[in-house]
Structure formats: C-alpha cells, structure tokens
Amino acid sequence: MSRSDRAPRQRSRQAALQTLYARDFTDPQQVGGEIGIEELFERVAQNFDLPVGARDFALKLASGTASELSTIDDLLAANAINWKISRMAAVDRNVLRLGIYELTRTDTPVSVILDEAIQLARRFGGESSPGFVNGVLDAVAKQVREQTEQDLEPDEENSCESDRGVV
C-alpha cells in the first residue's frame, strides 16, 4: 500500500481517536450508546477532509470501539501491567482502545495496527506515549494471536478418532 493510499486511513484513525477522546470528556448522560457516539463523531468529522470510504471507516472505528468498551478495557487492563485505565493519559488510553478494537475486530495486519497506533501516540501523546502504546499493544497482539491459535487447534479427542480411522 502506497503512502498516499494510507493517508485517508490515517486521517480516519485520527478522527476516530479524537471522537473517543472527546467522549471521555463528555457527560455520559449526553452520550448514550451508538447514537451519542455518532453525533459526537459528526462534530469531530467536520474538522477532517475525509473521502466517503475513509469517513465510514472512521465511524466504524469510533462506534465499534465505544460499543465494545467493556471487553476492550478488560484486555487493556490485563496487558497494561501496573497501570489503572483511569490513571492513563487520555490520549494513550484511547489510542490503546482503538488499537485493541482493530486487533480484535478487523482484518488489518498487526504490523499496520501497531505502526498506526505508535504514530498516533507520537503525534498526540506525550514523550513516553509511543513506547507505552507499543508495549501494551504488542502484549495484546500476542494474547489475541495465542487465543486465535487455540481456537483453531482441533479437539484432541476428535483428532485421535480421525487418526485411527474410526467410522
């Protein structure tokens, strides 16, 4: 994928990140479920020049991350050793949430997800953000990969029967 092909997706991730960031600072009574995140996205997206496909991708990332927040935060907490989610910098927390959503719910290659998350952390986070984001997302990626491999392994009992030619 060329640099110019990646640009709309980079802007999509930026718009999704800024939507999630804004969500952190919005009264929960005002942002309830999908409709709330969509309204928030529309406000943020006005600041971006996104082609239709990139806009759809950004909305999918923002709304998907928001709707899966409990599951995402469980994975985040399990892999951010010695860190409480509430104590993380808001940018780091939301870059990680976005990355975890992509790792678990899209077919985007892991290397692309990690690279894009590190770039977001570098651009919008603090000095230590890129390393922190890289470390946590790498741990999540390994956990997700191990879980996927376990899910794909055949059940030992069934594989033994098939090896013996049981009819």
Side-chain angles (χ1 to χ4, degrees):
M1 184 180 292
S2 74
R3 191 93 170 126
S4 62
D5 291 341
R6 287 180 45 190
R9 285 210 165 209
Q10 286 175 336
R11 290 196 312 269
S12 295
R13 288 182 180 92
Q14 289 175 17
L17 172 63
Q18 289 184 19
T19 301
L20 295 171
Y21 183 86
R23 183 181 186 274
D24 271 3
F25 295 101
T26 303
D27 181 0
Q29 301 300 322
Q30 294 176 341
V31 184
E34 293 273 332
I35 294 171
I37 198 74
E38 288 177 6
E39 289 174 14
L40 203 51
F41 173 79
E42 290 303 326
R43 291 181 196 159
V44 169
Q46 291 174 2
N47 300 307
F48 289 87
D49 180 26
L50 294 171
V52 174
R55 184 181 180 82
D56 293 345
F57 180 63
L59 179 58
K60 175 186 171 187
L61 291 176
S63 63
T65 301
S67 68
E68 297 281 334
L69 205 54
S70 177
T71 304
I72 289 169
D73 281 354
D74 288 346
L75 264 172
L76 178 53
N79 289 281
I81 309 302
N82 299 323
W83 278 93
K84 290 184 179 180
I85 295 172
S86 62
R87 303 278 301 165
M88 292 176 189
V91 169
D92 296 354
R93 176 176 56 242
N94 285 296
V95 168
L96 288 165
R97 286 172 169 168
L98 191 58
I100 291 170
Y101 175 78
E102 279 201 83
L103 284 169
T104 58
R105 300 290 188 253
T106 70
D107 59 357
T108 306
V110 172
S111 60
V112 171
I113 295 168
L114 291 174
D115 182 57
E116 293 291 330
I118 292 165
Q119 293 304 321
L120 287 171
R122 186 171 287 128
R123 179 163 185 195
F124 298 106
E127 186 177 324
S128 62
S129 295
F132 178 65
V133 165
N134 184 45
V136 174
L137 279 184
D138 188 52
V140 172
K142 287 177 184 170
Q143 182 179 346
V144 168
R145 183 173 49 245
E146 288 170 3
Q147 184 62 45
T148 302
E149 288 171 359
Q150 286 176 358
D151 291 347
L152 294 176
E153 287 179 5
D155 185 15
E156 281 193 36
E157 226 176 81
N158 291 338
S159 66
C160 289
E161 288 177 8
S162 64
D163 290 345
R164 285 185 264 153
V166 175
V167 187

